[in-house]
Amino acid sequence: DAGITQSPRHKVTETGTPVTLRCHQTENHRYMYWYRQDPGHGLRLIHYSYGVKDTDKGEVSDGYSVSRSKTEDFLLTLESATSSQTSVYFCAISPEGGPQHFGDGTRLSIL
Amino acid sequence: GNSVTQMEGPVTLSEEAFLTINCTYTATGYPSLFWYVQYPGEGLQLLLKATKADDKGSNKGFEATYRKETTSFHLEKGSVQVSDSAVYFCALKAARAAGNKLTFGGGTRVLVKP
């Protein structure tokens, strides 16, 4: 929906390994976001981007980095995954002043 | 800071019952308000929105009215169906939100039984 593709949709990995999640949009929207969703915590913003190479931290950014080298792609990297980063990760996009639209999520399990 | 408070669920209803999910907010100025719905295994979908006081957002039989005087944006549906079973999130965007960021409530799970 809304021209957002997240990949992979599911991933299982081990503690200490690097992990990169990709968000790809076809809407040419300015803003892109990464959230994590955990039981009892709702949705929490990790990082967001307001343009190519322009990013900023959200409320739970520790242990995560992001990059946006093209308008359409926003990458989330866990440099050294920990079990506390097991979660469902959602990407969202929005135009200037418009509502956010969400991808279908990536379920990440870190063993 | 900004915050959104939703009633805790789960809310369990029978088909054709009336649904209300309460949402209140704290924000300076005049935020925009949103309801999102998340069906099992899916991402959030925008259900409706309101951008100024007394606006009514509506979609798929759901309605919510932006009440500035009570800082509320309660979601209602007159006759629910089993297919309305989902988690519902209330959210706000502050008037000059950096990065167009949203503040979400904790979500309310709704289960509609046949």
Side-chain angles (χ1 to χ4, degrees):
Chain A
D1 283 3
I4 309 169
T5 304
Q6 291 187 232
S7 59
R9 294 293 316 279
H10 302 272
K11 186 172 182 67
V12 180
T13 190
E14 294 183 347
T15 301
T17 60
V19 176
T20 295
L21 308 183
R22 180 182 184 235
C23 178
H24 178 79
Q25 63 151 324
T26 58
E27 305 296 321
N28 201 36
H29 285 341
R30 177 183 179 188
Y31 296 100
M32 298 185 77
Y33 311 83
W34 278 108
Y35 292 88
R36 60 180 289 174
Q37 185 177 31
D38 305 288
H41 291 279
L43 277 163
R44 294 181 289 176
L45 182 65
I46 305 171
H47 283 279
Y48 69 98
S49 169
Y50 48 96
V52 173
K53 298 186 180 178
D54 291 325
T55 66
D56 206 349
K57 296 178 180 180
E59 60 181 299
V60 290
S61 59
D62 287 349
Y64 302 95
S65 62
V66 290
S67 66
R68 191 171 179 197
S69 59
K70 298 184 292 185
T71 298
E72 58 266 35
D73 289 325
F74 192 33
L75 304 181
L76 176 70
T77 297
L78 291 63
E79 299 289 349
S80 178
T82 67
S83 58
S84 65
Q85 294 175 311
T86 292
S87 187
V88 181
Y89 291 85
F90 288 99
C91 174
I93 64 174
S94 74
E96 186 75 53
Q100 291 185 22
H101 295 278
F102 286 76
D104 288 333
T106 294
R107 185 171 297 274
L108 177 63
S109 296
I110 301 165
L111 307 178
Chain B
N2 302 321
S3 67
V4 176
T5 302
Q6 291 182 235
M7 57 190 293
E8 289 195 22
V11 174
T12 303
L13 303 165
S14 297
E15 211 165 19
E16 299 184 2
F18 186 87
L19 170 67
T20 299
I21 304 175
N22 291 338
C23 171
T24 57
Y25 68 88
T26 301
T28 54
Y30 292 86
S32 296
L33 301 172
F34 306 86
W35 276 102
Y36 284 84
V37 58
Q38 183 179 31
Y39 299 103
E42 298 183 10
L44 280 69
Q45 299 176 24
L46 179 64
L47 182 58
L48 52 84
K49 66 178 182 178
T51 58
K52 60 183 187 295
D54 299 325
D55 266 3
K56 177 184 283 189
S58 61
N59 187 25
K60 299 181 181 180
F62 290 90
E63 293 183 340
T65 301
Y66 187 163
R67 302 286 188 198
K68 181 68 175 174
E69 63 277 11
T70 55
T71 62
S72 65
F73 193 53
H74 304 323
L75 183 67
E76 297 181 336
K77 186 175 185 183
S79 177
V80 294
Q81 305 300 313
V82 172
S83 57
D84 293 323
S85 297
V87 181
Y88 294 81
F89 291 91
C90 185
L92 72 81
K93 182 167 73 75
R96 294 184 182 84
N100 219 32
K101 290 186 290 184
L102 294 175
T103 300
F104 284 92
T108 302
R109 183 175 301 276
V110 173
L111 177 61
V112 181
K113 296 185 174 180

